[in-house]
Each structure stands twice: as C-alpha cells, then as structure tokens.
Amino acid sequence: MSTQNIEVREEVDEIIEKNGYDDHFHDHHASDKYKSSFVGKYIFSLDHKMISRQFLITGIVWAIIGAAFSVIFRLQLGFPEADMAWLKPLLGKWIVLNDAGIGSISQDFYYALVTMHGTILIFFVLTAGLSGTYSNFLIPLQVGARDMASPLLNMLSYWFFFLAGLVMLYSLFLSTGPFSGGWTAYPPLSALPQASSGSKGGMNLWIISMTLFIVSQLLGGINYVTTILNLRTKGMSMWKMPLTIWSFLVTAILGILTFPVLFAGVLLLLFDRSMGTSFYLSEIFIQGAALENVGGSPILYQHLFWFLGHPEVYIVILPAMGIVSEIMSVNSRKPIFGYRAMAYSLMAIAFLSLLVWAHHMFTSGMNPFITNFFVLFTLIIAMPSSIKTFNWLTTLFRGNLRLNSAMLYCIGFVSFFISGGLTGIWVGSSTLDIPLHDTYFVVAHFHLVMGVAAFFGMFAGLSYWYPKMFGRYMNETVLKVHFWITLIGAYCIFWPQHYLGLAGVPRRYYRFDSFNSFTGWEGVNEFITISAIVVFFTQLLWVFNFFYSMWRGKKVTERNPWHSNSIEWTTPIIPPHGNWPGKLPKVERWPYDYGKDGKDYITQITPYAEGEEVIAH
Amino acid sequence: MDVTLVSKNKGIQPLKFALWAGFASIIMMFIALTSAYIVRHSAGNWLEFKLPNAFIFSTITIILSSITMHMSYSGFKKGSETNYKLFLIATLALGLIFIMFQYQGWQEMHHIGVDLDGNPSGSFVYVISGLHAAHVLGGLAILTVAILHAFSLKYKPTEKRLLRFQLSTQYWHFVDILWVYLFVFFLLFR
Ligand code: HEM
Ligand SMILES: [Cu+2]
C-alpha cells in the first residue's frame, strides 16, 4: 500500500525550493518519532493524514451498520406479512415467532432500529465520518501546514469518537436493547426508564455515547479552527483559501457553538433520569400510577435539542458543499463562479442556522406570533442556499466538463440539494408544516437534502482525493456504475415518500394496516423497499472498490493527476510526515485560476507572470 | 501538549487561541442552561427561595483568588520568585475554600428544604453551580500542576513556561468571571 514511488523532480519543487518558506521543520527530526512503530504509525498516530483515514474507515463501518438497519426496518414496512424467521439466527429474540412459526420483527426492535439508524448516520457517519475525514486530511495540506495545531488533541478527538462508537455498539447487545425513542431522544420517552424497554440501559448508554461524541467534536473543531486561522503558510491569506477550507472553518465554528448546548440538554435529561429532578417531566401517569414530578416541560428539551439539531444538519452539509465547489471548479476547468459569494453564503447559512431551530417545533403548541419569526428566518436561509446553487450551475455552464466519477457525484449532489431544498420551503412555512410534520414528507425532505446529498459530497471527495490518500486510484467504471444506480435508486426510495407524506402517512409507524386512512400504499412501500435493497448492495460494491483499490488499484504516477491548483498536489505522491519534504510552499494566488490567459491551470504557488493581470476575487 | 509548528502569522499564539475557542464552547453551555432557566422561570410554578449566604462568601473568595493568581503571574514575569510561589499556593488555597463554600451553600439549600429533586428553581441552581464547580476542580488540577512545576523546576521564566503559565492563568480567570456571571444571574432571576 505504501510503496513510495520514485519521485521525479518537478517544476513545483523548483518553485518551492526557490520561493518557499523554510520553517526548519526537518532540522528537528520531528518526523522520526512518528515512524517508530506499528502502533505509533497506524493506531495512536499523531499524523493528521492517518487520523483522517481512521475517521474514514470507522465512518464506513458505521455506515454499513446504519444502512443495514434501515434495510431491516424497510423489510418490515414493505413486506409486513413476510416471514422473517430466517433472520432469527442473527437477531435472536428480536424476531418473534407466532404459533404458526412465522417470524416478524418485534415492535421494540423496530423502534430501536429506526432510532439507531438516525443516530448513527447523522452523528457517526455524516458528522464524524465526513468532517473528521476531510477536515483532518485537507486542512493542513491545503493551507500549507505541517500538521494540526495540536496533533495530540487531534488524536484524542478520534479516540473519543471511537469510544463513543464502542459504547453505542455495546448498547445494541443489552438485553433491553438500545435506545428506541427516535434520534432526537425527546422526553418523556427518554427521561423515564419505565417508558419502554429501550429507555432503560440503552438510553443511559446513548447519553454516555453522545457525551463522548460531543467531546470528540469539540476537540476536533477547536483544532480545525485554530489551524486554519493560525497556521496558514506564507501568502495564504483568507481570500486565497480554497472553498473547502472555508467550509471546514464555518462548520467547525458552528460545532463549537452548538454541541455544548446539546450537552446541556442531555445533562438535564440525565438528572431527570437518575436524580429525580423535574426539568422535563410534569404530571405523568405511567402504568396507572402518577409520578411525583411536577413543574417540568418537555418542550424545554426540544428547544435545547434543536438549538444544536438544526445547525447540526448544516454541520453535515457545509463540508460537502465545500468539497463540491472545489471539485466542480477543477473538473469544469473554470474558476468557481462567485468565490466570495460562496464564502459569504456559507457564513450567512451558518449564522441563520442559529436562529431557526423552532421550525422543528411548529406543532409543539408554540405561540403563533413567535412562529412567524422562525418562519421568516427559515425562509431567508433559502437565499444563501440558492446563491450557492446558482453559482454551482453557473460554474458548470459552458465549462469544459470532465465527467469523471468525482464530477458526476458533484452534479448528483446539486440535484439532490435542489430537490430536497425545495421541500424545505414547504415545511419551513408553518401553515404547510402543521399537516406535514411527522409524516413521510419530512423523511423525504431531509433524506434528499441532507442524507443523500452529503453522501454524494463524500463520494465525490473520495473519488477525487483517494489518489492523495492512498497513492492509487479507485476503479472508475465501478464508481460510475455505483453513481448511476445510487442516483436513480435514491430518487426511487425518497420521491414516492413525498406522496405518502402528503396523504398524511406518519413516519416511524410499525405498520399501517390498522388505520384505514393510511392503507392503499402497500405497492409503493414494496417498491421503496426493493429500491432500498438494491441501493444497499450497490454501496457494498463501493466499499469493495474502496478496499480493493488500496492494494490493487492503479498506481498514481503523476503528482497532480487532476491538474488542480490547490497546494495539496504539490506534495509528493505519498506525502511524508510534515507533508512537504523541504520548505513549505509560498502561496501567490487564489486557487481557481483555470483557463486564465489561455493556460489550462496555474497552481497557487506560481508567481504572477510579468504583466499578468491581478484580479481581485 | 505538543505543537509541531510555530504560528507563521503574527498575532495570537495558537494554543491560546484554542483555549479561547474552548471558552466559547463552555460559555455556550452555560448560556444554554441559563436560557433554559429563564424559559422555565417565565412559565410560572416557580419556587422562590433566598440564595444561600455561602454563595456570597464564595464569590468574594474566588474574586480574591483571581487577584492572587495575577500577583503570582506578575511575580513570575518580573523575576520575583517568592511572590510567584507564594501567591500560587494562596490561589490554590482560595480555590479549595471556594469549593468548600459552594458545598456549604448546597447544605444551606438542603436545610431550608430546597432539594435537587424538588421544584426546578432549586434543581437549576444545584446543576448550574455544580457544573461550574466541576470546572473549578479542573482549574485546581491545573493549579496543582503549576505548583509542582514551580517547586520542582528551577525558576526560569522561559518563553515556553510563560506560555504555559499564561494558559493556566487565563483559565482560572475564566472560571472566576463565569461564577460572578452566574451569581449575578441567580440574583436577578429569582
Ligand atoms: C431551504 C432550506 C431548508 C428549509 C427551509 C428547511 C426546513 C425544515 C423544516 C421546517 C423541518 C421540520 C419539518 C417537520 O419536522 O415538520 C425540516 C426538517 C429537517 N431538515 Fe430541513 N430545511 C432546509 C434545508 C435543510 C438542509 C440543508 C438540511 C440538511 C443538510 C436539512 C435537514 C433536515 C432534517 C434532518 C430534518 C428532520 C429532522 C427530524 O425531524 O428528524 N434541511 N427542515
Ligand atoms: Cu431545521
């Protein structure tokens, strides 16, 4: 895997040698101690590139688990009568057999699956897996730093994430099962151990796991922001940073400001569960007995949760947006359209996302006057979002498009972002949301705009940076097959759910046949389930490609295979610890000089030629 | 903590910046809790009780500890080894006294019948002041390390030790100001 290619000296080396910045990094022999042992190199590694790969692979493992869960509960929804006894060897008592020996998924287990699917995908895969991988990998390489500001905190960030995962994994094996009250963990279900079997030990472990996760996010985020603001190489002013870096910066700031609020919410929940406080509980009757708790309010939890919860969805999507902007520009051989507008809209989205949390609570009995405020700000977010969308489309317009897999995934991202974003405007208006809330319409909305779109951003990034990460290429044909099946398959899964939602079919129901108003969708549900199964196996194809290519993929022989401008491509094919073997490159220009003055591309470290026009971007 | 790199941009030292980013998230956590307090307060059914007197003493103590911390710091910088060591120990002692006063405050609340599991007005005070006390305990650990350094290493105000000491000082002042904010907050929203 790590066969070091014999590097030819290239023009970029000459430029770095001549103009670069000598920080005497290699005088300290700092690189030696990182190579010492297997454990030091692959496990407790301090190198940002290895930590990035750890986040990536852990994320992939969680993605497979989370997706497999969705296939199981989709089987229940698509084929409620089918015999599931064949799953008994794997799932044990979660498959209940009736007198005739026909097996079905137990109801408790169904709810546990839905809850774990949401928690795992949103937090472990699309937050830690996505930001953790790309922020770690790209920040030092693209701003021209030797490593993160604090490699130690960076390593701890990964290990806290790993521990959070272990705790959650352990909860799957409890006899009472993992938490089953939905990824949002609303009280009273989450606050009362006697409320359901998942609310017992499973919920305790959920809280512990989330706390570890929050610590991981804060350590990571603080490091990312510090590195971007303080460790940029010479010449790398803020307005010369690639949009990827802008997006990681904004994402990390958002995380630093909102994850502590989730911690506060979960802390009070923990007190309600174990110390008898009444922050969220009031006048509850359970199993015929009245509880002593008075004076609490479950709505309070919703405020605290969604103050993180809404920014969280942007924490998921912003890095994907940055990745897409970068790759799209390179593969259109054109500057990104509206560079500053792109950066400013990232900031605007992040800022506004702090003001709209209550649009998840329109049906909670909020004062309708306050509702207006949240509707207004929610709809204003559509503006920076559409600025970004138009800029992507304009970047594509009349571009010299290279339709490789990375580019296809980017186009797919934009497609999903538009389809899901438009329904955001529906649910953002309280009048429409009151009937649509908690129906499949919302499920369709957020899976398109966040779930699938963010995954496509992640796929795009891996097609594009895989050569830098592993020194080899993934198989392009397999990637394209994966792209088309996933694109069409995802629309087949989520498009019909809009119609279910409009007809009022609620989300998170175990089965629908006891409600006359929700029947008649059996065929559609079967169709969705079959699509989900096809898409699931296509993802396994991608995973196979990913691992296979690490050892067997085509080797990278060119240092800058995509003819890109940003400085990660001036490092050796497999960057050593410290990233640049000699001096650090000095940055002269912004990263998007494609097709300028008849030149296909001009790297960021190329000085301005005599008489070349300096454009302020 | 090892920093592989020195900042190439003039301005704030990276670790100091990271510490301040950490402050931002701690502040957000307490803003969340105090906002929850306000929201719950305005909903009625709120038990009013007098804040324990011990909290007044603890507030005075922690402000004093900030002053001694500062004196220790300027002693360190200006080359007065005795002041540096003496005031550092004084700070640790005041920090411990602060925790004792907090504990006494919780006892007082318990004696007038305000318990953790009673009306949320009391629960909030317990949880918020408890969480703050946890941050002070972290500060006491940092102070202990600083004292160990002060007495085990030869007195030499190098760049590296100055930075480390600055980080400790800033954290201590931070938890001090945080408590003053919380105390004033509790006084205002009864
Ligand atoms: C134009 C922009 C958007 C608007 C106006 C909008 C609005 C909304 C509203 C009002 C809801 C609540 C619906 C309900 O529960 O009844 C919602 C749910 C949701 N949205 Fe969006 N949204 C937008 C974009 C996004 C983006 C970009 C993401 C993620 C990247 C996202 C992710 C989610 C998620 C995850 C939920 C569901 C949470 C749950 O209840 O489990 N939305 N959206
Ligand atoms: Cu939202």
Side-chain angles (χ1 to χ4, degrees):
Chain A
M1 190 170 101
S2 59
T3 33
Q4 185 74 46
N5 304 53
I6 297 156
E7 297 269 342
V8 268
R9 266 185 93 74
E10 290 186 15
E11 198 194 331
V12 287
D13 294 317
E14 311 291 344
I15 300 179
I16 295 178
E17 189 63 44
K18 190 159 142 256
N19 300 341
Y21 169 77
D22 192 0
D23 60 346
H24 304 285
F25 176 73
H26 294 278
D27 304 352
H28 307 313
H29 302 285
S31 47
D32 298 348
K33 71 168 183 252
Y34 293 91
K35 288 252 164 78
S36 47
S37 65
F38 178 83
V39 173
K41 186 166 174 200
Y42 291 105
I43 300 181
F44 294 108
S45 172
L46 293 169
D47 186 292
H48 71 101
K49 299 182 287 299
M50 186 56 69
I51 296 174
S52 151
R53 280 173 271 195
Q54 292 173 329
F55 269 108
L56 175 59
I57 290 171
T58 316
I60 290 176
V61 171
W62 276 114
I64 297 172
I65 298 176
F69 284 2
S70 74
V71 171
I72 303 176
F73 68 68
R74 266 318 315 178
L75 282 175
Q76 165 65 27
L77 291 167
F79 304 95
E81 306 301 336
D83 181 7
M84 301 287 206
W86 58 277
L87 277 170
K88 185 115 183 132
L90 183 67
L91 298 176
K93 74 178 168 72
W94 299 120
I95 301 289
V96 216
L97 299 186
N98 67 8
D99 299 337
I102 309 278
S104 53
I105 294 172
S106 90
Q107 302 183 7
D108 280 334
F109 188 54
Y110 172 84
Y111 287 110
L113 285 174
V114 176
T115 304
M116 284 298 122
H117 169 75
T119 309
I120 290 172
L121 263 298
I122 290 188
F123 291 112
F124 293 175
V125 181
L126 293 178
T127 305
L130 183 71
S131 278
T133 303
Y134 290 103
S135 297
N136 264 304
F137 194 72
L138 292 178
I139 289 175
L141 282 172
Q142 286 194 333
V143 304
R146 298 289 183 191
D147 204 314
M148 285 288 175
S150 171
L152 177 69
L153 293 188
N154 207 28
M155 178 186 83
L156 286 177
S157 156
Y158 172 75
W159 286 104
F160 271 100
F161 165 50
F162 186 82
L163 267 182
L166 274 192
V167 173
M168 197 66 86
L169 190 69
Y170 180 67
S171 82
L172 299 177
F173 297 98
L174 292 182
S175 64
T176 45
F179 180 53
S180 56
W183 78 279
T184 51
Y186 281 1
L189 262 188
S190 58
L192 296 171
Q194 62 273 46
S196 76
S197 82
S199 309
K200 298 190 168 69
M203 185 59 200
N204 290 338
L205 293 182
W206 190 93
I207 292 180
I208 297 172
S209 171
M210 280 333 271
T211 307
L212 294 168
F213 185 80
I214 292 168
V215 173
S216 151
Q217 284 301 304
L218 294 177
L219 292 177
I222 289 173
N223 228 334
Y224 305 152
V225 176
T226 310
T227 310
I228 296 174
L229 293 184
N230 295 290
L231 298 184
R232 299 191 308 280
T233 187
K234 257 215 168 107
M236 180 66 85
S237 61
M238 294 297 275
W239 291 115
K240 290 203 177 86
M241 299 194 312
L243 284 169
T244 35
I245 301 299
W246 273 109
S247 72
F248 302 150
L249 175 67
V250 174
T251 306
I253 295 175
L254 206 51
I256 293 175
L257 295 180
T258 56
F259 271 108
V261 179
L262 176 65
F263 177 76
V266 173
L267 181 76
L268 298 187
L269 192 57
L270 189 65
F271 274 95
D272 274 5
R273 284 177 66 77
S274 50
M275 309 298 286
T277 54
S278 309
F279 292 111
Y280 304 136
L281 295 170
S282 189
E283 285 147 27
I284 293 187
F285 285 84
I286 192 162
Q287 286 144 4
L291 298 186
E292 290 197 353
N293 306 76
V294 279
S297 156
I299 308 293
L300 187 59
Y301 175 86
Q302 299 190 13
H303 281 293
L304 291 172
F305 180 85
W306 286 113
F307 189 83
L308 159 92
H310 181 79
E312 165 64 17
V313 306
Y314 285 98
I315 289 173
V316 166
I317 205 74
L318 295 183
M321 288 177 164
I323 290 168
V324 166
S325 307
E326 173 75 12
I327 298 178
M328 220 174 220
S329 172
V330 174
N331 286 312
S332 309
R333 312 312 291 160
K334 267 179 73 184
I336 186 82
F337 187 84
Y339 168 73
R340 283 206 186 207
M342 286 302 228
Y344 282 129
S345 28
L346 287 173
M347 294 180 231
I349 291 177
F351 175 71
L352 289 168
S353 79
L354 296 170
L355 304 177
V356 300
W357 73 92
H359 67 208
H360 295 273
M361 301 161 56
F362 287 150
T363 57
S364 69
M366 252 193 326
N367 179 337
F369 177 74
I370 299 179
T371 306
N372 283 336
F373 169 86
F374 286 104
V375 170
L376 183 70
F377 281 99
T378 301
L379 297 185
I380 292 178
I381 294 204
M383 287 184 346
S385 308
S386 13
I387 291 177
K388 296 198 74 80
T389 309
F390 284 120
N391 285 359
W392 287 317
L393 296 179
T394 320
T395 305
L396 290 176
F397 182 66
R398 294 224 176 125
N400 212 342
L401 304 192
R402 296 197 297 214
L403 288 178
N404 49 28
S405 61
M407 183 63 154
L408 289 176
Y409 286 124
C410 290
I411 297 172
F413 169 92
V414 177
S415 159
F416 286 117
F417 189 70
I418 295 176
S419 331
L422 288 176
T423 53
I425 300 174
W426 291 46
V427 288
S429 326
S430 55
T431 24
L432 280 174
D433 185 58
I434 288 170
L436 289 176
H437 176 66
D438 260 350
T439 67
Y440 270 90
F441 194 87
V442 175
V443 176
H445 158 68
F446 71 77
H447 276 90
L448 289 179
V449 75
M450 174 177 79
V452 191
F455 259 102
F456 271 56
M458 191 142 74
F459 288 136
L462 275 165
S463 290
Y464 183 82
W465 280 291
Y466 194 91
K468 187 89 273 181
M469 282 185 171
F470 299 103
R472 291 175 187 265
Y473 296 96
M474 279 200 268
N475 183 304
E476 186 68 11
T477 319
V478 176
L479 287 173
K480 283 187 178 158
V481 170
H482 169 263
F483 165 78
W484 284 108
I485 300 182
T486 311
L487 179 91
I488 297 167
Y491 272 122
C492 287
I493 298 172
F494 296 114
W495 198 271
Q497 295 187 356
H498 291 103
Y499 304 116
L500 266 81
L502 287 170
V505 180
R507 65 195 278 205
R508 292 174 172 158
Y509 273 34
Y510 173 70
R511 57 192 298 163
F512 297 108
D513 42 10
S514 16
F515 309 91
N516 274 336
S517 33
F518 306 144
T519 47
W521 296 98
E522 293 79 10
V524 178
N525 269 325
E526 280 178 27
F527 174 76
I528 294 176
T529 298
I530 292 169
S531 313
I533 294 172
V534 172
V535 170
F536 175 72
F537 283 103
T538 312
Q539 305 316 301
L540 294 186
L541 184 68
W542 184 92
V543 173
F544 176 74
N545 190 3
F546 176 84
F547 285 107
Y548 183 82
S549 306
M550 258 188 223
W551 284 276
R552 295 291 168 78
K554 193 165 82 136
K555 268 199 186 171
V556 180
T557 49
E558 228 184 316
R559 195 166 316 175
N560 187 356
W562 314 116
H563 295 172
S564 159
N565 289 342
S566 45
I567 60 176
E568 76 270 29
W569 303 104
T570 65
T571 60
I573 290 177
I574 304 212
H577 181 72
N579 298 335
W580 282 269
K583 294 180 179 176
L584 284 176
K586 173 167 175 264
V587 167
E588 309 280 350
R589 56 176 80 229
W590 79 325
Y592 299 109
D593 270 343
Y594 292 104
K596 190 188 185 196
D597 301 335
K599 292 204 189 73
D600 183 33
Y601 70 108
I602 311 174
T603 68
Q604 276 195 282
I605 62 170
T606 311
Y608 277 98
E610 196 122 334
E612 186 186 343
E613 189 193 354
V614 181
I615 308 167
H617 302 284
Chain B
M1 225 183 294
D2 71 330
V3 189
T4 4
L5 300 158
V6 237
S7 170
K8 264 155 257 91
N9 302 345
K10 277 180 224 75
I12 185 163
Q13 207 280 341
L15 280 186
K16 243 184 237 173
F17 181 87
L19 183 69
W20 283 75
F23 291 163
S25 49
I26 298 177
I27 290 174
M28 283 307 290
M29 183 169 69
F30 281 97
I31 289 185
L33 289 169
T34 45
S35 317
Y37 182 105
I38 295 175
V39 169
R40 179 58 194 80
H41 180 258
S42 62
N45 181 14
W46 185 262
L47 179 78
E48 279 191 36
F49 63 94
K50 192 174 153 302
L51 272 188
N53 285 331
F55 281 4
I56 302 174
F57 299 122
S58 70
T59 311
I60 298 169
T61 317
I62 201 161
I63 292 174
L64 281 178
S65 80
S66 251
I67 297 173
T68 53
M69 189 71 185
H70 183 74
M71 290 174 36
S72 165
Y73 174 67
S74 50
F76 180 74
K77 251 186 20 184
K78 296 201 186 106
S80 160
E81 196 181 343
T82 16
N83 278 0
Y84 158 54
K85 289 182 177 170
L86 211 65
F87 284 116
L88 199 54
I89 295 179
T91 313
L92 180 74
L94 287 169
L96 286 169
I97 297 173
F98 171 82
I99 296 285
M100 272 152 53
F101 276 132
Q102 295 301 81
Y103 183 74
Q104 201 186 324
W106 299 325
Q107 294 283 330
E108 275 183 50
M109 281 168 65
H110 173 70
H111 285 312
I112 55 170
V114 178
D115 279 317
L116 177 61
D117 59 1
N119 187 288
S121 69
S123 317
F124 267 115
V125 175
Y126 278 109
V127 170
I128 295 176
S129 60
L131 196 61
H132 173 265
H135 286 81
V136 174
L137 287 180
L140 291 180
I142 294 171
L143 281 177
T144 313
V145 174
I147 290 178
L148 287 179
H149 276 193
F151 285 91
S152 66
L153 304 176
K154 220 170 108 39
Y155 171 72
K156 207 166 52 175
T158 56
E159 189 85 341
K160 204 173 153 205
R161 280 182 68 186
L162 186 69
L163 172 67
R164 192 196 289 266
F165 199 35
Q166 276 172 342
L167 294 174
S168 315
T169 327
Q170 288 180 354
Y171 181 79
W172 191 258
H173 292 319
F174 173 73
V175 290
D176 171 9
I177 297 167
L178 187 60
W179 173 253
V180 175
Y181 157 72
L182 292 172
F183 183 65
V184 173
F185 175 86
F186 288 143
L187 286 179
L188 291 180
F189 292 88
R190 295 281 64 240

